Amino acid sequence: MKVVVIGGTGLIGSKLVGKLEEHGHEAVAAAPNTGVNTLTGEGLAEVLKDASVVVDVSNSPSWEDDAVMKFFRTSTENLLNAEAEAGVTHHVALSVVGTDRLQESGYFRAKQAQEELIKASGMPYSLVHATQFFEFIKGIADISTEGDTVRLAPAKFQPIYSDDVAAAVGRTAIGDPVNGTVEVAGPDVFQLDELIRETLAAQNDPRTVVTDPHAPYSGAELEETTLLPGPDAHLAGTRLSDWLAKQQ
């Protein structure tokens, strides 16, 4: 089948395109640098011709509250309208475990708005909720840093390898629409502050990690289980320790 991957040149999208092609599908990477812009609608009609499935793994270039809301609302509306015109029969979108519990954050309010537009569209759909990627652990430390201090809540955290996310999205894309949400997470649960502390120490990073129950995560306070998936989540196989060993 022809699968169009919106955001197909990014971290997840590029991996997803490769995995779909390995299984014999026609996977098309769609992004501004390939002539497809979901914000303006440029190139959508052409790229969606004869497509059976559209997978949206795109992300906003700005995380400022108004900009990120505009991005997800406008791009999702444009995409869904173009899919209806093209006869697409399955819309898949990648989102984040805990989105509905992180509504203090402008980013997660925008992701929630994206999901609500998809659900209300009448298009057969599947939402894939993933936990945070291994690759972004250092980034969590960076956005939580003031001076030489990293403030993080003692919340539970179950990160996943991006390759495993791409595999889960691929399985969902070639399956029947679930008209609901599939969750995917890594195999191991950590405490966020402790994990970042250990990671920075292993990298000889001099920053000090301070445990602060009120420390914001993308603008939202965390409860202990805010970032954890439910009991029916698919658990991926790659362990953080194995991934870290390969980064040396």
Side-chain angles (χ1 to χ4, degrees):
M1 65 177 71
K2 179 180 176 180
V3 182
V4 175
V5 181
I6 306 296
T9 60
L11 174 65
I12 300 298
S14 57
K15 292 174 182 280
L16 175 59
V17 167
K19 290 179 184 297
L20 290 169
E21 288 177 342
E22 287 173 8
H23 287 84
H25 300 288
E26 179 188 355
V28 180
N33 59 4
T34 70
V36 180
N37 189 322
T38 54
L39 268 180
T40 64
E42 177 191 0
L44 276 179
E46 294 81 3
V47 80
L48 295 183
K49 185 179 179 182
D50 300 323
S52 300
V53 183
V54 170
V55 183
D56 186 1
V57 295
S58 63
N59 211 344
S60 174
S62 169
W63 281 32
E64 189 274 324
D65 284 4
D66 290 340
V68 73
M69 181 64 79
K70 179 182 178 183
F71 175 84
F72 281 116
R73 279 192 175 279
T74 303
S75 61
T76 301
E77 287 172 346
N78 286 341
L79 190 52
L80 290 168
N81 289 336
E83 288 172 21
E85 288 286 327
V88 171
T89 56
H90 190 187
H91 180 97
V92 180
L94 177 62
S95 194
V96 187
V97 165
T99 289
D100 60 338
R101 301 188 291 270
L102 291 161
Q103 292 299 292
E104 292 174 75
S105 162
Y107 179 82
F108 289 104
R109 287 196 298 273
K111 289 297 290 181
Q112 186 73 14
Q114 176 192 30
E115 294 186 22
E116 289 169 359
L117 285 169
I118 293 166
K119 292 174 182 177
S121 70
M123 173 72 65
Y125 73 92
S126 302
L127 299 175
V128 180
H129 276 198
T131 53
Q132 192 54 270
F133 309 158
F134 293 166
E135 289 88 346
F136 294 161
I137 289 174
K138 182 180 182 299
I140 292 172
D142 292 345
I143 64 172
S144 305
T145 297
E146 295 178 5
D148 293 326
T149 301
V150 186
R151 294 189 179 278
L152 291 162
K156 300 297 184 186
F157 185 63
Q158 198 167 341
I160 185 172
Y161 179 29
S162 61
D163 209 63
D164 291 334
V165 176
V169 174
R171 286 193 302 271
T172 304
I174 63 175
D176 293 331
V178 299
N179 294 314
T181 302
V182 176
E183 289 190 319
V184 59
D188 300 312
V189 179
F190 303 90
Q191 190 166 298
L192 179 59
D193 55 332
E194 292 179 356
L195 174 61
I196 300 295
R197 186 177 291 116
E198 292 170 4
T199 301
L200 294 183
Q203 296 171 345
N204 297 314
D205 190 312
R207 286 178 288 180
T208 299
V209 176
V210 173
T211 302
D212 179 356
H214 300 292
Y217 179 90
S218 292
E221 281 199 21
L222 299 177
E223 302 292 337
E224 183 181 28
T225 60
T226 300
L227 302 178
L228 293 183
D232 296 327
H234 172 82
L235 299 186
T238 308
R239 296 188 179 281
L240 177 61
S241 57
D242 295 333
W243 180 80
L244 286 171
K246 292 180 179 178
Q247 307 309 304
Q248 304 304 317

